[in-house]
Amino acid sequence: MPEFAFLRLRDDAFAIGAGPFTGLPDPPDDSAFYVNGFGLEDPYPWKRPAQVWIAPGLESLAGEGSAPRLSAWSGPDPAVFGAIFARWKVLLELEHLLKVVPVLPEMCRLTEGEPRAWTRLLSVATLPLWAYGWFGGEGGFLGLTPERFLQWEDGLLTTAALAGTSRPGKEEQFLNDPKQVREHELVVDDLCSVLAQTGAVQRSPRRILHLQGLIHYLSEIRVPVRNPLDLNEVIQNMHPTPAMGVLPRRSAFLDLLMEDRRKTGTPPAFGAPFGFWDGARFHSVIAIRGVFWEDDRLLLPSGCGLVRESRLESEWEELALKRHVVKAMLHLT
């Protein structure tokens, strides 16, 4: 399978790179994609492509192959999630922990066709869904994420807090749900605290973001930066945000979260930053709302934000709702 990567930069522009890719420890003077695992374990995350171009769509990547056919999905075990929920709830109740995002994947087999055919669907999706993808030989991932991570351009750093989830049609209940508000504000406060080391933080009011099949709380954050920006350092400081990780970011809590991810078979790239650098600007997202594969094994993960007020049944339903939305977007049947 050919190696390539892509990321939507704006409505009418996709950054596309073709391999082979060269891994580098720092962003080069020219272009590179940022590809890493959730633990930021790759010492060479800046992947410089052999070729790179900006295109209005992804038609050139889809190829002539047939649309993928899949085996029946095997859902996550509710007993496994129950055990994970119970362990984290103890820490949340003791107030040693404020928020955590466990992840469970659903699994199936690719029986026919090629994942690259899904790029046809990604090309026509509109913002605020950001199409992203990485095809690295026998494995890769792609999706439509609503979650921006870090943008850096002309001395301005921007990011967004996206946390709190419900179904469309429940806006009034959502607005008055203290659990959803608290979950969101924990993410905002942490991002503002981390970025205050970089410059004067400007935060927008919290608002509802409407997506296909979901609603979220969204707050945008801007930081004017006078000094040169060390992207590796900023990424290390910001990731994982409480929208995908733990709060506070104690190593013991992160170790427990990574242990859960390994036990459930969560793909390493799920929830990790994915970005494109053109030598002067950096645009990145969080790799969620997508599918991840190795050979013919396909995984569809989803995560939920647990706080002290969380209830097991509601979080289980949220996990299923997020997977259902991805299946609908990519026609995963």
Side-chain angles (χ1 to χ4, degrees), residues 6-16 33 55-58 121-133 144 151 274 276 283-285:
F6 61 86
L7 178 63
R8 186 168 213 147
L9 304 178
R10 53 184 185 272
D11 267 326
D12 59 348
F14 292 81
I16 302 174
F33 286 84
L58 300 172
L121 301 172
L122 303 186
S123 190
V124 300
T126 58
L127 296 178
L129 292 173
W130 303 88
Y132 67 93
L144 288 166
Q151 284 71 48
F274 180 84
F276 176 72
H283 175 71
S284 61
V285 298

Coordinates of all heavy atoms in Angstrom, one line a residue, residues 6-16 33 55-58 121-133 144 151 274 276 283-285:
F6 N -2.5 13.2 4.9 CA -3.3 14.4 4.5 C -3.9 15.0 5.7 O -4.2 14.3 6.8 CB -4.4 14.0 3.5 CG -5.4 13.1 3.9 CD1 -6.5 13.5 4.6 CD2 -5.2 11.7 3.6 CE1 -7.5 12.5 5.0 CE2 -6.2 10.8 4.1 CZ -7.3 11.2 4.7
L7 N -4.2 16.3 5.6 CA -4.9 17.0 6.7 C -5.6 18.2 6.1 O -5.0 19.0 5.3 CB -3.9 17.5 7.7 CG -4.4 18.4 8.9 CD1 -5.4 17.5 9.7 CD2 -3.3 18.9 9.8
R8 N -6.8 18.4 6.4 CA -7.6 19.6 6.0 C -7.1 20.8 6.7 O -7.0 20.8 7.9 CB -9.1 19.4 6.2 CG -9.9 20.5 5.6 CD -11.4 20.3 5.6 NE -12.0 20.9 4.5 CZ -13.0 20.3 3.8 NH1 -13.5 19.2 4.2 NH2 -13.6 21.0 2.8
L9 N -6.7 21.9 5.9 CA -6.2 23.1 6.5 C -7.3 24.2 6.6 O -7.3 25.0 7.5 CB -5.1 23.6 5.6 CG -3.9 22.7 5.4 CD1 -2.8 23.3 4.5 CD2 -3.3 22.3 6.8
R10 N -8.2 24.2 5.6 CA -9.4 25.1 5.6 C -10.4 24.5 4.6 O -10.2 23.4 4.1 CB -8.9 26.5 5.2 CG -8.1 26.6 3.9 CD -7.7 28.0 3.6 NE -7.0 28.1 2.3 CZ -5.8 27.9 2.0 NH1 -5.0 27.6 3.1 NH2 -5.3 27.9 0.8
D11 N -11.4 25.2 4.4 CA -12.5 24.7 3.5 C -12.1 24.2 2.2 O -12.5 23.1 1.8 CB -13.6 25.8 3.3 CG -14.7 25.8 4.3 OD1 -15.0 24.7 4.8 OD2 -15.2 26.8 4.7
D12 N -11.2 24.9 1.5 CA -10.8 24.6 0.2 C -9.4 24.1 0.0 O -8.8 24.1 -1.1 CB -11.0 25.8 -0.7 CG -10.2 27.0 -0.3 OD1 -9.6 26.9 0.8 OD2 -10.1 27.9 -1.1
A13 N -8.8 23.6 1.1 CA -7.3 23.2 1.0 C -7.0 22.0 1.9 O -7.3 22.1 3.1 CB -6.5 24.4 1.4
F14 N -6.4 21.0 1.3 CA -5.9 19.9 2.0 C -4.4 19.8 1.8 O -3.9 19.9 0.6 CB -6.5 18.6 1.5 CG -7.9 18.4 1.8 CD1 -8.9 19.0 1.0 CD2 -8.4 17.6 2.8 CE1 -10.2 18.8 1.2 CE2 -9.7 17.4 3.1 CZ -10.7 18.0 2.3
A15 N -3.6 19.6 2.9 CA -2.2 19.3 2.7 C -2.1 17.8 2.5 O -2.6 17.0 3.2 CB -1.4 19.7 4.0
I16 N -1.3 17.4 1.4 CA -1.2 16.0 1.1 C 0.3 15.7 0.9 O 1.0 16.5 0.2 CB -1.9 15.7 -0.3 CG1 -3.4 16.0 -0.1 CG2 -1.7 14.2 -0.6 CD1 -4.2 15.8 -1.4
F33 N 4.8 16.3 8.2 CA 3.6 16.0 9.0 C 4.0 15.6 10.4 O 5.1 14.9 10.6 CB 2.8 14.8 8.4 CG 2.0 15.2 7.1 CD1 2.7 15.3 5.9 CD2 0.7 15.6 7.2 CE1 2.0 15.7 4.8 CE2 0.0 16.0 6.1 CZ 0.6 16.0 4.9
A55 N -4.1 20.7 -2.2 CA -5.2 20.4 -3.2 C -6.5 20.8 -2.6 O -6.7 20.8 -1.4 CB -5.1 19.0 -3.6
P56 N -7.5 21.1 -3.5 CA -8.9 21.4 -3.0 C -9.7 20.2 -2.5 O -10.7 20.3 -1.8 CB -9.6 22.0 -4.2 CG -8.9 21.4 -5.3 CD -7.4 21.2 -4.9
G57 N -9.2 18.9 -2.8 CA -9.9 17.7 -2.4 C -8.9 16.6 -2.3 O -7.7 16.7 -2.5
L58 N -9.4 15.4 -2.0 CA -8.6 14.2 -1.9 C -8.8 13.2 -3.0 O -8.5 12.0 -2.8 CB -9.0 13.5 -0.5 CG -8.7 14.4 0.7 CD1 -9.3 13.7 2.0 CD2 -7.2 14.7 0.9
L121 N -15.2 10.0 0.9 CA -16.1 10.5 1.9 C -15.6 11.7 2.7 O -16.3 12.7 3.0 CB -16.6 9.4 2.8 CG -17.3 8.2 2.2 CD1 -17.5 7.1 3.2 CD2 -18.6 8.6 1.5
L122 N -14.3 11.6 3.0 CA -13.7 12.7 3.8 C -13.6 14.0 3.0 O -13.7 15.1 3.6 CB -12.3 12.2 4.3 CG -12.1 11.0 5.1 CD1 -10.7 10.8 5.5 CD2 -13.1 11.0 6.3
S123 N -13.4 13.9 1.7 CA -13.2 15.0 0.9 C -14.4 15.9 0.9 O -14.3 17.2 0.8 CB -12.8 14.6 -0.5 OG -12.4 15.7 -1.3
V124 N -15.6 15.3 0.9 CA -16.8 16.1 0.8 C -17.4 16.6 2.2 O -18.3 17.4 2.2 CB -17.9 15.3 0.1 CG1 -17.5 15.0 -1.3 CG2 -18.3 14.1 0.9
A125 N -16.8 16.1 3.3 CA -17.2 16.6 4.6 C -16.8 18.0 4.8 O -15.8 18.5 4.3 CB -16.6 15.7 5.7
T126 N -17.6 18.8 5.5 CA -17.4 20.2 5.7 C -17.0 20.5 7.1 O -17.2 19.7 8.1 CB -18.7 21.0 5.4 OG1 -19.7 20.5 6.2 CG2 -19.1 20.8 3.9
L127 N -16.3 21.7 7.3 CA -15.9 22.1 8.6 C -17.2 22.4 9.4 O -18.2 22.7 8.9 CB -15.1 23.4 8.4 CG -13.8 23.3 7.7 CD1 -13.1 24.6 7.6 CD2 -12.9 22.3 8.4
P128 N -17.1 22.2 10.7 CA -15.9 22.1 11.6 C -15.4 20.7 11.8 O -14.8 20.4 12.8 CB -16.4 22.7 12.9 CG -17.8 22.2 13.0 CD -18.3 22.3 11.6
L129 N -15.6 19.8 10.8 CA -14.9 18.5 10.8 C -13.6 18.5 10.0 O -13.7 18.9 8.8 CB -15.9 17.4 10.3 CG -17.1 17.1 11.2 CD1 -18.0 16.2 10.5 CD2 -16.7 16.6 12.5
W130 N -12.5 18.2 10.6 CA -11.2 18.2 10.0 C -10.8 16.8 9.5 O -10.6 16.0 10.3 CB -10.2 18.8 10.9 CG -10.6 20.2 11.4 CD1 -11.3 20.4 12.5 CD2 -10.3 21.4 10.9 NE1 -11.5 21.8 12.7 CE2 -10.8 22.4 11.7 CE3 -9.5 21.8 9.7 CZ2 -10.7 23.8 11.4 CZ3 -9.4 23.2 9.5 CH2 -10.0 24.1 10.3
A131 N -10.7 16.6 8.2 CA -10.3 15.3 7.7 C -8.8 15.2 7.9 O -8.0 16.1 7.7 CB -10.6 15.2 6.2
Y132 N -8.4 14.0 8.3 CA -7.0 13.7 8.5 C -6.7 12.2 8.2 O -7.7 11.4 8.2 CB -6.6 13.9 10.0 CG -7.2 13.0 11.0 CD1 -6.6 11.8 11.4 CD2 -8.5 13.2 11.5 CE1 -7.2 10.9 12.3 CE2 -9.1 12.3 12.4 CZ -8.5 11.2 12.8 OH -9.1 10.3 13.6
G133 N -5.5 11.9 7.9 CA -5.2 10.5 7.5 C -3.7 10.2 7.4 O -2.9 11.1 7.0
L144 N -12.6 12.1 10.7 CA -13.1 13.4 10.7 C -13.2 13.9 12.1 O -14.2 13.6 12.8 CB -14.5 13.4 10.0 CG -14.5 13.2 8.5 CD1 -15.9 12.8 8.0 CD2 -14.0 14.4 7.7
Q151 N -2.8 25.6 16.5 CA -2.5 26.3 15.3 C -1.5 27.4 15.6 O -1.6 28.1 16.6 CB -3.7 26.9 14.7 CG -4.6 25.9 14.0 CD -5.3 25.0 14.9 OE1 -5.9 25.4 15.9 NE2 -5.3 23.7 14.7
F274 N -2.0 15.2 15.5 CA -1.6 15.0 14.2 C -1.6 16.3 13.4 O -2.6 17.1 13.5 CB -2.6 14.0 13.5 CG -2.3 13.7 12.1 CD1 -1.4 12.7 11.8 CD2 -2.9 14.4 11.0 CE1 -1.2 12.4 10.4 CE2 -2.7 14.1 9.7 CZ -1.8 13.1 9.4
F276 N 0.4 19.3 10.4 CA 1.2 19.6 9.2 C 1.9 21.0 9.4 O 1.3 21.9 9.8 CB 0.2 19.7 8.0 CG 1.0 20.2 6.7 CD1 1.8 19.3 6.1 CD2 0.8 21.5 6.2 CE1 2.5 19.7 4.9 CE2 1.4 21.9 5.0 CZ 2.3 21.0 4.4
H283 N -0.5 23.5 11.7 CA -1.9 23.3 11.9 C -2.1 21.8 12.4 O -1.5 20.9 11.7 CB -2.7 23.4 10.6 CG -4.2 23.1 10.7 ND1 -5.1 23.8 11.4 CD2 -4.9 22.0 10.2 CE1 -6.3 23.3 11.3 NE2 -6.2 22.2 10.6
S284 N -2.7 21.6 13.5 CA -2.8 20.2 14.0 C -4.2 20.0 14.7 O -4.9 20.9 15.1 CB -1.7 20.0 15.1 OG -1.8 20.9 16.2
V285 N -4.5 18.7 14.7 CA -5.8 18.3 15.3 C -5.5 17.1 16.2 O -4.4 16.6 16.3 CB -6.8 17.8 14.2 CG1 -7.1 19.0 13.2 CG2 -6.2 16.6 13.4

